[in-house]
């Protein structure tokens, strides 16, 4: 019974990855791609200071976005799971949180541009309130706008698994801790967070992998002034440098798999799937 699914994974996942790995060892010139077995793509990738900067930038985006989505996602999920008693209102509030995510990612991302622009709503409001004297340049086409867009696009991927895990927590455990004299922060730290670890890990995997593989958000929200690994791959493909793009993709894949492997060591995620 597993044969059809295994065949689909083989055709659409394993074989394409193998093809990318093979092409990553080919050699490319300005006008042609030569099937060969050379390591120059990986040598350039691992020794170039530009590539190192791009990878550091990618990790920076992933870490900051993860922290922001974790704080927002945990807060929203905690409120829905423990402060709204009726299941009906929990469902209603959860659906309200998910409504913005029913639109296109591109539309939600681009909608920040008129809000954060030099003459946008944010700057105009701050000037009218007397908070600032001139428009803030760093609101748009900066790392701030990139991370803001990332958080907006992917926060739901943190909310859903954490909320799902919190709903499985036996509320009698919280009541028992409260009867034993535990304070709110103690209950949160010693009861709720440990029991929510599977949801935290699932959300972390979703957010980190999505951010590290994204390229369009960085291109648009940074005004082409910044780059990450995804955009590096996109640029190589645009220049028909497929071996270089394949090598970068393989390194990115290995990096993401290592991160996922480290995260899976902290929790048995199979119990949640």
């Amino acid at each position: 019974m597993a044969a059809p699914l295994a065949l689909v994974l083989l055709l659409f996942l394993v074989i394409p990855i193998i093809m990318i790995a093979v092409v990553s060892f080919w050699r490319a010139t300005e006008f042609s791609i030569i099937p060969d077995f050379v390591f120059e793509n990986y040598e350039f990738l691992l020794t170039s200071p530009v590539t190192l900067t791009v990878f550091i930038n990618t990790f920076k985006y992933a870490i900051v976005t993860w922290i922001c989505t974790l704080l927002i996602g945990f807060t929203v999920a905690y409120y829905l799971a423990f402060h709204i008693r009726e299941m009906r209102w929990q469902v209603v509030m959860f659906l309200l949180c998910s409504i913005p995510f029913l639109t296109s990612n591109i539309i939600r991302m681009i909608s920040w541009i008129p809000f954060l622009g030099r003459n946008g709503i944010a700057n105009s409001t701050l000037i009218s309130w007397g908070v600032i004297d001139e428009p803030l340049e760093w609101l748009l086409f900066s790392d701030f706008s990139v991370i803001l867009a990332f958080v907006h696009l992917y926060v739901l991927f943190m909310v859903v698994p954490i909320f799902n895990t919190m709903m499985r927590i036996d509320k009698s455990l919280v009541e028992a801790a409260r009867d034993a004299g535990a304070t709110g922060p103690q209950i949160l730290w010693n009861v709720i967070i440990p029991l929510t670890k599977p949801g935290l890990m699932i959300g972390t995997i979703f957010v980190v992998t999505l951010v590290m593989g994204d390229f369009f958000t960085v291109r648009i929200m940074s005004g082409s002034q910044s780059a990450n690994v995804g955009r590096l791959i996109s640029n190589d493909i645009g220049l028909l440098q497929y071996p270089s793009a394949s090598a970068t993709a393989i390194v990115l894949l290995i990096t993401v798999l290592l991160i996922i492997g480290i995260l899976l060591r902290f929790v048995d995620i199979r119990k949640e799937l």
Side-chain angles (χ1 to χ4, degrees):
M1 294 180 65
L5 179 59
L7 181 61
V8 170
L9 291 177
L10 178 65
L11 291 176
F12 298 103
L13 180 64
V14 178
I15 292 179
I17 292 177
I18 293 175
M19 293 176 62
I20 293 173
V22 171
V23 173
S24 69
F25 291 100
W26 290 3
R27 187 156 47 90
T29 64
E30 294 182 0
F31 306 102
S32 62
I33 297 176
I34 303 172
D36 204 347
F37 189 79
V38 294
F39 292 93
E40 62 182 27
N41 296 316
Y42 289 98
E43 290 177 0
F44 175 79
L45 185 64
L46 299 176
T47 57
S48 172
V50 175
T51 304
L52 178 61
T53 302
V54 171
F55 268 89
I56 292 175
N57 215 29
T58 303
F59 282 114
K60 178 184 68 177
Y61 287 146
I63 292 172
V64 177
T65 303
W66 169 71
I67 293 174
C68 295
T69 55
L70 178 62
L71 294 175
I72 297 173
F74 188 90
T75 303
V76 173
Y78 180 82
Y79 177 77
L80 293 176
F82 293 99
H83 288 274
I84 300 180
R85 301 298 182 181
E86 295 185 18
M87 177 64 71
R88 178 183 60 182
W89 288 110
Q90 287 179 338
V91 174
V92 171
M93 294 295 292
F94 183 80
L95 291 177
L96 287 176
C97 292
S98 63
I99 285 176
F101 297 88
L102 300 178
T103 60
S104 169
N105 281 4
I106 297 176
I107 294 175
R108 286 188 285 125
M109 175 186 62
I110 294 178
S111 64
W112 283 106
I113 295 179
F115 183 83
L116 299 175
R118 179 179 177 84
N119 298 317
I121 298 174
N123 275 319
S124 299
T125 303
L126 292 175
I127 292 175
S128 64
W129 287 351
V131 178
I132 57 176
D133 297 325
E134 56 184 17
L136 300 174
E137 301 289 346
W138 53 266
L139 288 181
L140 185 61
F141 301 145
S142 62
D143 287 345
F144 170 80
S145 59
V146 172
I147 293 172
L148 179 63
F150 274 143
V151 172
H152 182 204
L153 292 176
Y154 302 132
V155 67
L156 190 66
F157 290 94
M158 187 68 77
V159 173
V160 172
I162 295 177
F163 176 69
N164 180 56
T165 306
M166 284 184 176
M167 290 300 295
R168 300 183 184 183
I169 297 176
D170 189 352
K171 301 300 188 294
S172 62
L173 296 176
V174 179
E175 295 297 332
R178 187 174 290 110
D179 294 340
T183 62
Q186 289 175 329
I187 295 174
L188 179 66
W189 183 256
N190 296 298
V191 179
I192 296 177
I193 291 180
L195 295 176
T196 314
K197 280 201 302 183
L200 295 174
M201 291 300 105
I202 295 174
T204 299
I205 291 172
F206 281 150
V207 171
V208 171
T209 54
L210 288 171
V211 171
M212 294 191 69
D214 188 288
F215 71 94
F216 192 73
T217 303
V218 176
R219 176 185 174 185
I220 297 300
M221 299 306 294
S222 70
S224 297
Q225 300 181 39
S226 184
N228 65 344
V229 179
R231 191 179 172 202
L232 186 64
I233 297 172
S234 176
N235 290 342
D236 284 340
I237 293 175
L239 296 173
L240 303 181
Q241 297 295 312
Y242 297 118
S244 176
S246 299
T248 308
I250 292 297
V251 173
L252 177 61
L253 176 63
I254 293 174
T255 303
V256 173
L257 290 177
L258 288 175
I259 294 174
I260 294 175
I262 293 172
L263 293 175
L264 292 180
R265 294 185 64 88
F266 290 98
V267 64
D268 187 2
I269 209 170
R270 290 175 297 180
K271 296 180 180 179
E272 295 294 314
L273 299 177

